[in-house]
Amino acid sequence: MAAEMRDASESDAADLWIAWDEYRHAIERLALLVHESGWKFDQILCLARGGLRPGDIFSRIFDVPLAILSTSSYREEAGTAQGELDIARHITISKGTLGGRILLIDDLVDSGITLERVQRHLSEQFSTVTKVKTAVIWYKACSSVVPDFYLEYLPTNPWIHQPFEEYDGLRAHQLAARMKGDKPFK
């Protein structure tokens, strides 16, 4: 069954609930923060899955190529417990190779392990990368890494309930049942 999404007004020190409009607006505000810093970058590298949406929007706003690196650590207990970090062997990019000044984007930094290990991976595997700066929407106090750009510092380290989590437990047959009777988009 799909995760129940709550209203942002139900957020507290332990749980931060984010609605779709808030999520989109947070990405835009982070993009503005990066823009106003004056830092110029050649490419965006987003970490899948959490960084896919911010990375896509940043790539469109800044009109720079988007590269994707799959990472995964939240697989345990239906995605609510961090396990061993896996980093994909290859980076996907539609044109050329990864190089120059890179803006590394993820949705959040929790322990900091992912950002730390990915930056080490880039320095060891991609000699053409000259500079990496990081950008996240949410920066938790428990992180061992301070991102270069972040929108919101979270001193209580809440669990962040993002709007797309409703799909984590939703299967195609459940979607079909839910949408039965809905009018198609025109």
Side-chain angles (χ1 to χ4, degrees), residues 16-68:
L16 178 61
W17 296 90
I18 307 297
W20 278 111
D21 282 347
E22 292 172 288
Y23 182 69
R24 177 189 50 78
H25 190 66
I27 295 169
E28 292 171 350
R29 288 175 40 220
L30 181 61
L32 186 59
L33 185 72
V34 171
H35 169 73
E36 289 175 344
S37 78
W39 191 64
K40 303 293 183 208
F41 47 94
D42 304 305
Q43 296 171 326
I44 292 169
L45 175 62
C46 70
L47 300 182
R49 292 187 308 191
L52 282 171
R53 290 163 192 87
D56 175 54
I57 291 171
F58 268 59
S59 177
R60 293 167 191 271
I61 290 171
F62 291 101
D63 194 27
V64 297
L66 175 65
I68 301 168

Side-chain angles (χ1 to χ4, degrees), residues 8-172:
S9 66
E10 296 184 55
S11 294
D12 57 30
D15 293 282
L16 178 61
W17 296 90
I18 307 297
W20 278 111
D21 282 347
E22 292 172 288
Y23 182 69
R24 177 189 50 78
H25 190 66
I27 295 169
E28 292 171 350
R29 288 175 40 220
L30 181 61
L32 186 59
L33 185 72
V34 171
H35 169 73
E36 289 175 344
S37 78
W39 191 64
K40 303 293 183 208
F41 47 94
D42 304 305
Q43 296 171 326
I44 292 169
L45 175 62
C46 70
L47 300 182
R49 292 187 308 191
L52 282 171
R53 290 163 192 87
D56 175 54
I57 291 171
F58 268 59
S59 177
R60 293 167 191 271
I61 290 171
F62 291 101
D63 194 27
V64 297
L66 175 65
I68 301 168
L69 177 62
S70 291
T71 61
S72 179
S73 63
Y74 282 92
R75 293 176 304 282
E76 309 298 322
E77 299 177 36
T80 61
Q82 191 170 27
E84 184 66 28
L85 175 65
D86 292 325
I87 299 175
R89 179 177 265 174
H90 302 285
I91 290 176
T92 300
I93 187 166
S94 60
K95 185 176 182 182
T97 59
L98 193 68
R101 295 176 310 268
I102 305 299
L103 182 63
L104 176 61
I105 297 182
D106 206 354
D107 54 351
L108 61 95
V109 60
D110 192 351
S111 67
I113 292 170
T114 302
L115 284 183
E116 181 182 315
R117 291 227 2 240
V118 167
Q119 287 182 86
R120 184 171 53 228
H121 175 75
L122 293 174
S123 69
E124 292 170 356
Q125 302 296 320
F126 295 88
S127 60
T128 58
V129 171
T130 58
K131 179 78 173 166
V132 176
K133 287 196 177 188
T134 56
V136 299
I137 301 169
W138 299 286
Y139 162 36
K140 292 186 180 185
C142 62
S143 175
S144 61
V145 173
V146 178
D148 296 292
F149 305 101
Y150 62 90
L151 186 62
E152 191 172 351
Y153 176 74
L154 302 172
T156 62
N157 304 308
W159 184 260
I160 302 168
H161 301 272
Q162 298 187 54
F164 46 82
E165 289 177 10
E166 70 179 295
Y167 299 106
D168 286 346
L170 182 68
R171 299 300 166 249

